[in-house]
Amino acid sequence: MTSTRRVTIALSLVATAAMIAVTGTRLPAQAPREWKDYAGGPDSSRFVATTQITKANVAELRVAWTYPGGQTGSNPIVARGVVYARARNNAIVALDAATGRELWLRDGLQGMTSRGFNYWEAPDGSDRRLIFAIDEQLQEIDARTGERITTFGTNGKVDLRAGLERDPSTIKVQSGTPGRVFEDLIILGSATNQEYNSAPGDVRAYNVRTGALAWTFHTVPRPGEFGYETWPEYAYKTVGGANNWGEQSIDVARGIVYVPTGSPKHNFYGGHRHGTNLFGDCILALDARTGKRLWHFQTVHHDIWDYDNNSAPQLTTVEQNGRRIDVVAVAGKTGYLYVFDRVTGAPIWPIEERPVPTRTEIPGESVWPTQPFPTSPPPFSKLSLKPDEVNPHILTPDEREQFRRRVAAARYDGPFTPIAYEDTLHVPGNSGGSNWGSTAANPNDGTVYVISLNMPALIRLLKPGEVRQTNGGGAAGTVSTLERPIMDGFGLYPTIVSPPYQTLTAYNLNTGTIKWQIGLGDDLRLVRQGITGTGSASSTKTAVIPTASGLVFATAPDQKVHVYDSDTGRQLHELPLGANTSGSPSMYEHGGKQYLLVTASGGGAAWSGPAGIVAYALP
C-alpha cells in the first residue's frame, strides 16, 4: 500500500453566489473567505471579515464535524473547499471543508515542519501545491492528490543547508514555522541551534515551481554590506543565528515582507561578537521580490538575553491628527510593542536609547551601554519581580520560600541586567513576553492583540569545570567552557510569578494605549479552588482570531476556546475541548456557513468534549 491513499473525489469551486445567513438575510455576492495561509493570510493578522457569527449568536455554536486523527500545534489551512491539516503518524490529511470527510492522506512525513505548511496555486488554479520541509529538505506535494512533486528541486527536494558556506553535515536550519508565499516565491527563515557554531540565519526565497534560489539576505553581513562594521571582522564566517525562526508578514500591495529576527549565537554570551550585531533582534523590511533591505530597526543591541523577535509583525492602519498611517507593530520577548510607519520605518512614538547596566564579571564580554525603550504604547508584560510577588498559589510553602529567597538574592539591576555567574533575574525571561502565534490585528482600525507569557527567568553562566545541575533542564556533566549557560528554574517553571500568568492585551494604536488586558483563560489547578481568569501558568503557545463582527476567539492551555467581546474583553462564551490545544485555530466560510476550526490532541481531558480536528458552526 502506498503512503498516499486516494479517494476519488470531484472538488468543486466554492460558490461565489449570494450567501444566506442563518437569519435569512441575503448577503451581497462575494468571493469565498478561506484560510489559505499560515496565520490566515500574507499579513498574518488572523483577522476574519466574515460576520455570520456575532455577539448575539456565538453561544449557539455547535460541533459541525470532527476528524479524530488530527494533531494539535499546527495551523490548518483551507483552500477551494478543502481543509489541509496535520494528522497522526506524521501525516498531512485533506478533508472536505463541509463534512470533515477524508479525501486523501499522505503519511510517513516524520520531521515535517511542525507549526504548519504553505499553500500555493497558479493563477488559473490548474496547479496547487502544499509546501513544507522535512529534515531540512524543502518539498512539495500536489494539493489535489497528495502526490509528491518530483519536478521541484532535485528529485522533489531542495537542501536548505546548501549555500550557507558551512559544512552541511554540522548545521541545522529547518524552522517549525513554514515561511511565507508571495507570488511565485516561498520566503523562508531558519531555526539554527542555540550554541556556538550555529548556522548563519540567512533569509532566503525560492521559486515555488522550480525550487531555484531567487534571493538571499545575509543577517550577519558580509564585507561591503550594510551593518558589517557592527560585528568583529570575519564574524560572518564563524557566528550564526540572527535568524528568522518565527513568523513573517507581507504587505502584498507594496511587496514588502516584514521579518523579525532572533539573537545571534551563543544566546547568552557575546564575547566573541563585540558590537551591536546587526541584523540580530531586528524587524527587517525587505523587498519581497528581491530581498533588498528597505529599512530595519534593532530592538536589542548585542543580545545576551535571548530576546528573539519571533511573533508575526502586525499590519494595521491608524488615524492620528486627521491623518491615516499604515503601520507595522512588532511584539517582542522584551514585553514591549514597537510601532513603525510601514513604509519609512519611522517610529510612530519616540523610542529612546537609554543607559542600561554594563557591569559584568564574565571574561571577554562587552555589554552594549544603551538599549531602545518605546515611550508608547505601554508594555504588555510584567517587567519586574519582587520577592513578595512570588506566586501565592500552586507552589508548596517550601517551594514558595525557596524561590522568594532566590529572587531576593538574585542580581537584578533593572531591565537588561547582564548575565553573571550567580543567579541573575530577567523579566520577562527568555521564554516570556511574546512568542510565535501570539499576535493578531484588525487591519482596518488600529487594534492589535498580543498574548504574553509572564515568565521571569533565573539564569547564570557556569564556571570552568562546574557541574551542570539536572534541575536546569539538561543532563548533569562537567562543563569545559566558561561561557556555557544554565537555566535555573524560572524559564522552565512559569508558576513562580503571581497571576495573571498569561495575558491577552488589546491595543488601540490610534491613541497608543491599552484598550483592555485580561488573563487568557484559566489555570486548571486554580479553577479547583474557585479562582478563574488567571491565564495558565504554562509555556503552551496559543493564538487568537479577531472578526469583523466584534469577536475575539482565543485558544488557551485550559482545553477551551474562549470568545471575548473585542470592545471590552468580556468573555461571551467558551467551548470545552476533549484534549489539549496549542498553536493557531483557523476560520473559514464555505457553502454559506462560517466555521471555526480548532485542533486538540494529547493529554488528559479536564472536561468531556470533542478532539482531533474540530469544526464549529451555527446550526
Side-chain angles (χ1 to χ4, degrees):
M1 183 176 181
T2 65
S3 62
T4 303
R5 301 202 311 268
R6 292 193 185 88
V7 177
T8 303
I9 58 172
L11 295 179
S12 62
L13 295 178
V14 178
T16 56
M19 294 171 289
I20 307 299
V22 292
T23 59
T25 303
R26 183 170 294 275
L27 301 176
Q30 54 186 306
R33 290 164 172 167
E34 300 176 307
W35 194 276
K36 282 190 175 182
D37 296 83
Y38 173 83
D43 65 355
S44 301
S45 70
R46 296 181 167 87
F47 179 78
V48 175
T50 302
T51 58
Q52 187 180 96
I53 303 172
T54 67
K55 297 176 185 179
N57 63 25
V58 66
E60 299 174 26
L61 282 175
R62 299 291 183 269
V63 175
W65 57 261
T66 63
Y67 180 78
Q71 297 293 293
T72 197
S74 181
N75 184 206
I77 57 178
V78 187
R80 292 181 175 264
V82 181
V83 172
Y84 301 98
R86 288 198 63 168
R88 65 169 62 105
N89 299 323
N90 304 295
I92 294 177
V93 66
L95 306 171
D96 184 285
T99 66
R101 179 173 62 92
E102 184 179 301
L103 305 177
W104 56 255
L105 180 83
R106 177 88 191 188
D107 58 13
L109 303 177
Q110 187 166 359
M112 177 176 58
T113 308
S114 59
R115 298 177 193 128
F117 32 82
N118 293 104
Y119 174 87
W120 172 89
E121 66 176 46
D124 63 358
S126 61
D127 189 357
R128 308 171 202 164
R129 307 185 182 195
L130 300 178
I131 313 165
F132 52 91
I134 297 179
D135 296 331
E136 292 140 333
Q137 304 292 318
L138 190 65
Q139 305 181 39
E140 297 180 341
I141 59 177
D142 190 310
R144 294 164 296 187
T145 66
E147 293 288 348
R148 290 182 61 217
I149 298 178
T150 57
T151 56
F152 178 76
T154 302
N155 194 30
K157 298 180 180 180
V158 172
D159 191 340
L160 297 176
R161 299 168 299 177
L164 295 176
E165 299 183 13
R166 304 285 172 91
D167 180 353
S169 67
T170 66
I171 57 176
K172 299 285 187 182
V173 298
Q174 180 179 321
S175 173
T177 310
R180 272 276 164 247
V181 166
F182 176 73
E183 296 177 349
D184 284 354
L185 299 176
I186 171 70
I187 304 172
L188 294 176
S190 61
T192 63
N193 65 37
Q194 311 297 312
E195 308 292 340
Y196 306 104
N197 303 316
S198 296
D202 293 354
V203 182
R204 294 175 291 179
Y206 297 88
N207 185 281
V208 169
R209 298 174 186 267
T210 66
L213 181 66
W215 56 257
T216 299
F217 180 87
H218 298 129
T219 60
V220 180
R222 309 291 176 85
E225 294 180 337
F226 188 96
Y228 176 73
E229 72 286 351
T230 67
W231 298 82
E233 191 175 11
Y234 304 123
Y236 68 96
K237 293 184 176 181
T238 58
V239 179
N243 52 306
N244 166 235
W245 65 266
E247 300 163 322
Q248 307 168 8
S249 302
I250 296 180
D251 181 332
V252 173
R254 294 183 172 96
I256 301 175
V257 56
Y258 299 93
V259 182
T261 62
S263 65
K265 311 305 176 203
H266 190 283
N267 277 342
F268 302 103
Y269 176 75
H272 58 300
R273 52 174 173 86
H274 291 177
T276 55
N277 304 149
L278 290 177
F279 291 94
D281 301 276
C282 280
I283 173 66
L284 284 168
L286 305 178
D287 185 310
R289 296 181 178 90
T290 66
K292 176 184 176 182
R293 181 184 64 89
L294 303 176
W295 60 265
H296 75 276
F297 185 90
Q298 189 174 50
T299 57
V300 181
H301 309 314
H302 187 76
D303 188 359
I304 53 173
W305 302 272
D306 189 23
Y307 275 162
D308 297 343
N309 297 311
N310 55 79
S311 57
Q314 291 302 310
L315 312 182
T316 188
T317 301
V318 302
E319 186 168 335
Q320 294 184 347
N321 301 318
R323 186 168 68 101
R324 291 181 63 80
I325 308 170
D326 290 342
V327 302
V328 54
V330 182
K333 281 189 185 180
T334 58
Y336 284 102
L337 188 70
Y338 308 81
V339 188
F340 309 94
D341 183 297
R342 203 185 303 175
V343 178
T344 67
I348 300 301
W349 296 277
I351 300 177
E352 299 177 348
E353 286 287 332
R354 298 175 185 169
V356 294
T358 59
R359 176 174 63 89
T360 181
E361 62 183 330
I362 308 303
E365 184 60 87
S366 181
V367 181
W368 199 258
T370 64
Q371 294 291 346
F373 289 80
T375 58
S376 190
F380 54 80
S381 179
K382 292 183 178 181
L383 301 181
S384 65
L385 176 64
K386 298 177 181 178
D388 61 0
E389 294 173 335
V390 170
N391 189 10
H393 309 295
I394 301 174
L395 301 174
T396 67
D398 287 347
E399 289 171 332
R400 190 172 302 114
E401 179 60 20
Q402 171 193 355
F403 284 112
R404 190 196 66 77
R405 290 179 179 178
R406 287 188 64 187
V407 170
R411 179 181 175 186
Y412 179 71
D413 299 327
F416 300 103
T417 299
I419 196 169
Y421 285 138
E422 69 272 12
D423 274 350
T424 308
L425 180 62
H426 292 163
V427 188
N430 59 295
S431 293
S434 175
N435 215 293
W436 65 270
S438 66
T439 53
N442 184 322
N444 308 307
D445 70 358
T447 303
V448 168
Y449 301 91
V450 182
I451 296 174
S452 177
L453 303 177
N454 287 323
M455 198 183 305
L458 277 179
I459 189 169
R460 66 187 182 95
L461 295 182
L462 293 179
K463 297 177 181 178
E466 188 173 356
V467 176
R468 177 181 294 276
Q469 303 298 313
T470 56
N471 70 347
T478 300
V479 178
S480 60
T481 60
L482 61 84
E483 302 94 348
R484 195 171 182 180
I486 181 172
M487 287 293 294
D488 260 347
F490 276 32
L492 300 177
Y493 300 101
T495 58
I496 306 305
V497 68
S498 294
Y501 308 117
Q502 189 177 59
T503 59
L504 173 59
T505 303
Y507 281 101
N508 179 353
L509 295 188
N510 298 290
T511 57
T513 58
I514 291 177
K515 185 176 1 179
W516 47 261
Q517 184 179 77
I518 58 173
L520 176 54
D522 306 311
D523 189 286
L524 300 183
R525 292 162 290 192
L526 297 186
V527 169
R528 300 185 188 104
Q529 303 175 37
I531 303 171
T532 59
T534 63
S536 177
S538 79
S539 59
T540 301
K541 310 300 189 297
T542 59
V544 303
I545 296 177
T547 75
S549 58
L551 298 173
V552 178
F553 293 82
T555 50
D558 59 4
Q559 297 172 203
K560 297 179 192 174
V561 181
H562 298 266
V563 188
Y564 302 106
D565 187 315
S566 64
D567 294 323
T568 65
R570 181 174 66 90
Q571 180 165 301
L572 302 175
H573 190 51
E574 63 183 37
L575 300 164
L577 297 165
N580 296 326
T581 183
S582 63
S584 177
S586 308
M587 190 171 279
Y588 62 96
E589 191 175 273
H590 178 70
K593 276 194 173 185
Q594 182 179 352
Y595 294 84
L596 169 68
L597 200 63
V598 182
T599 60
S601 63
W607 292 274
S608 61
I613 300 171
V614 185
Y616 295 92
L618 294 171

